[in-house]
Amino acid sequence: LRILLFGITTITAYTVISEYFVPSLNQLGVSFVFIGIVAATEALFFSLGSLISQKIKGVDKKRVYTILSLFMGLFLFLITSATVLSVIIGFLVLRTIKAISEIVTMEDWQNHVESAQRATTISINSFVKNLVYILVGILFGKIADTFGLFKGFYLASAMSFSYLILSKISRLKQSD
């Protein structure tokens, strides 16, 4: 359940906002050459996330998901300040968090779902994430059109923080 909750909140929030990386920097007057340089740098931050994920292998997954969701929400919120520096730092750190998230969730699938059922559960998870992505993508676009591009990042930040609430509710119900 935590993998599904994390996927439909935090990872979907990242997926939606990643579509707005170039438009947000462009709206702030950044040249496409500089955007290309930042995009190339993004690959280094993804690699950094891969290295970090190897270092945290033994850490409790519940704690890792909580920390990733918290940092994702905070850096999404940072982007709402709509400065070039906040957008660049936000996206680069978010890319690192995304890399960690992908590796951690894949390890979680492998450790908690039997091999015979893994393909089905991953497919269901992907289907649910895509449905949420469609809805959130439309809502983000509507917010951006109505109130401005950077106001949509509040939605993505709230989605990421919602994992913290949903996982707490889930744990409370499991303890009953």
Side-chain angles (χ1 to χ4, degrees), residues 11-30:
I11 293 178
T12 302
Y14 174 83
T15 305
V16 169
I17 62 98
S18 68
E19 305 289 338
Y20 292 94
F21 174 64
V22 173
S24 62
L25 285 175
N26 188 255
Q27 186 175 4
L28 293 171
V30 175

Side-chain angles (χ1 to χ4, degrees), residues 22-116:
V22 173
S24 62
L25 285 175
N26 188 255
Q27 186 175 4
L28 293 171
V30 175
S31 74
F32 285 113
V33 171
F34 188 74
I35 291 171
I37 292 167
V38 173
T41 306
E42 194 178 21
L44 295 173
F45 278 79
F46 189 84
S47 297
L48 175 65
S50 298
L51 291 172
I52 292 170
S53 67
Q54 297 304 314
K55 300 287 185 196
I56 61 172
K57 273 192 174 189
V59 178
D60 176 44
K61 295 295 186 249
K62 290 177 194 170
R63 179 173 288 161
V64 171
Y65 287 136
T66 299
I67 291 168
L68 291 174
S69 181
L70 180 64
F71 277 105
M72 181 84 71
L74 289 172
F75 279 94
L76 285 164
F77 191 76
L78 172 71
I79 292 172
T80 65
S81 65
T83 66
V84 172
L85 189 60
S86 71
V87 172
I88 291 171
I89 291 171
F91 275 106
L92 292 176
V93 171
L94 291 172
R95 187 64 174 147
T96 305
I97 294 170
K98 171 74 161 119
I100 297 167
S101 300
E102 287 179 0
I103 293 167
V104 168
T105 54
M106 193 51 62
E107 287 174 357
D108 220 5
W109 283 114
Q110 291 171 349
N111 293 333
H112 293 94
V113 179
E114 292 179 28
S115 181

